[in-house]
Amino acid sequence: MLDNLVQGEYEVECLDCEVSLFIVLGEDGFFSCSDDYALRDVERTPLRPADPAELEGLAKQLHDRALADGQPVVALRLTYLFGRAACTDCGTVFSVADSVVANAIPDW
Ligand SMILES: [Zn+2]
């Protein structure tokens, strides 16, 4: 799932209302939105990054590795990946990483 981090975009479903959302962490900024933000103006909700000092476990390892490898842009994006996003439809605030993982698991 980390390839998307370099591309700067994840497509997830809201864990509450199941609307499709884009999580954007890239040159266009850090926000969540529904629909295709590249094609037209849509509502954008700012992402809330994690505090790097409060990262733990895998998140901390990835962040430390990115900094050690001289990849501050990747390190910054990781703080948003492990931060929170709000659904533009229902307003539910959720963990970006949790939603990415949930969407990576196929429905049985
Ligand atoms: Zn929602």
Side-chain angles (χ1 to χ4, degrees):
M1 298 308 286
L2 290 174
D3 285 350
N4 294 68
L5 195 64
V6 175
Q7 292 165 15
E9 182 182 299
Y10 287 91
E11 191 172 355
V12 303
E13 282 182 1
C14 172
L15 298 178
D16 200 41
C17 72
E18 299 185 350
V19 72
S20 292
L21 297 170
F22 286 100
I23 303 292
V24 181
L25 335 126
E27 291 162 9
D28 291 339
F30 299 91
F31 57 90
S32 59
C33 62
S34 57
D35 291 319
D36 199 335
Y37 67 93
L39 297 180
R40 56 195 182 89
D41 274 345
V42 294
E43 185 182 348
R44 298 179 176 192
T45 306
L47 299 179
R48 306 171 195 183
D51 181 345
E54 292 180 0
L55 293 178
E56 296 180 334
L58 179 62
K60 179 172 166 48
Q61 285 177 31
L62 289 168
H63 188 260
D64 288 352
R65 171 75 68 84
L67 287 180
D69 287 350
Q71 302 282 351
V73 173
V74 173
L76 178 65
R77 290 180 183 183
L78 282 166
T79 65
Y80 286 90
L81 178 62
F82 291 103
R84 293 184 172 275
C87 175
T88 53
D89 265 33
C90 71
T92 297
V93 175
F94 57 89
S95 155
V96 175
D98 283 354
S99 69
V100 168
V101 170
N103 281 276
I105 299 170
D107 293 326
W108 296 99

